[in-house]
Amino acid sequence: MPATNSDRPEGRELRLTVNGEDRRLDVAPSTPLLYVLRNDLSLNGPKFGCGLGECGACMVLVDGRAARACVLPAAAVEGHQVTTLEGLADGDRLDPVQQAFIDEQGAQCGYCLNGMIMSVRALLNARPAPSRDELVEALDHNLCRCGTHQEILAAACRAAGLGGEGDA
């Protein structure tokens, strides 16, 4: 991730590309990206979980790679493509990862869902045919307190074309 442009005064206009749209925002460059997405752009896919970049609830894609928006300064993503959960779908057609989570009922409360889906999408962007072990590793740093781990893994496996290999 590029470093924050420290010579930019607080409160100057930032130019961000979020879900394919160019946005101009008057926010402090050090503002966490999560706050900009939720408060300024009304995108509620990324959630505030721990605020420390440890739980994964705030996950977004930056140039197709997973990034934790709660610890990422907004200025760090200028000139990069930011994709939130809302930006994965193509019109009315859900991203295959989103559809797999629906098909496998990979959510209970849904709070971790954003991070789980974005982590799987990032892995599939980098490696279109991952193994089950690679999926487990990609999901390892996303916390789910509801206990839907089997369904989440089944959804990840379905999205990766691994069929029923999510069953442990």
Side-chain angles (χ1 to χ4, degrees), residues 64-81:
R65 297 185 322 189
R68 296 180 186 249
C70 72
V71 294
L72 186 62
V77 298
E78 279 190 295
H80 298 274
Q81 298 288 324

Side-chain angles (χ1 to χ4, degrees), residues 96-161:
V97 177
Q98 292 171 307
Q99 189 62 56
F101 271 77
I102 291 169
D103 294 344
E104 295 294 335
Q105 298 180 11
Q108 191 164 334
C109 82
Y111 209 80
C112 72
L113 198 58
N114 175 75
M116 299 293 186
I117 289 172
M118 300 309 275
S119 293
V120 172
R121 171 44 54 211
L123 176 61
L124 293 175
N125 288 347
R127 206 168 153 72
S131 68
R132 181 185 184 281
D133 288 342
E134 290 171 314
L135 288 164
V136 168
E137 184 178 331
L139 293 170
D140 189 44
H141 299 286
N142 290 275
L143 302 179
C144 172
R145 304 220 188 280
C146 295
T148 57
H149 296 89
Q150 293 303 317
E151 292 84 356
I152 289 167
L153 185 55
C157 287
R158 178 185 284 247

Side-chain angles (χ1 to χ4, degrees), residues 1-79:
M1 230 26 68
T4 301
N5 185 355
S6 60
D7 63 347
R8 181 191 299 272
E10 293 292 301
R12 285 215 33 220
E13 182 179 80
L14 292 180
R15 295 179 183 184
L16 305 179
T17 304
V18 179
N19 296 333
E21 293 183 34
D22 291 329
R23 308 299 295 259
R24 293 173 187 237
L25 300 158
D26 186 21
V27 297
S30 61
T31 303
L33 178 61
L34 178 63
Y35 298 176
V36 172
L37 295 172
R38 290 184 62 83
N39 300 338
D40 297 301
L41 300 179
S42 299
L43 296 168
N44 294 316
K47 306 284 186 254
F48 183 90
C50 66
L52 302 170
E54 295 179 3
C55 73
C58 66
M59 192 79 65
V60 297
L61 302 180
V62 178
D63 296 336
R65 297 185 322 189
R68 296 180 186 249
C70 72
V71 294
L72 186 62
V77 298
E78 279 190 295

Side-chain angles (χ1 to χ4, degrees), residues 85 88-100 102-103:
L85 186 66
L88 289 181
D90 182 12
D92 290 338
R93 201 172 115 239
L94 294 177
D95 182 270
V97 177
Q98 292 171 307
Q99 189 62 56
I102 291 169
D103 294 344

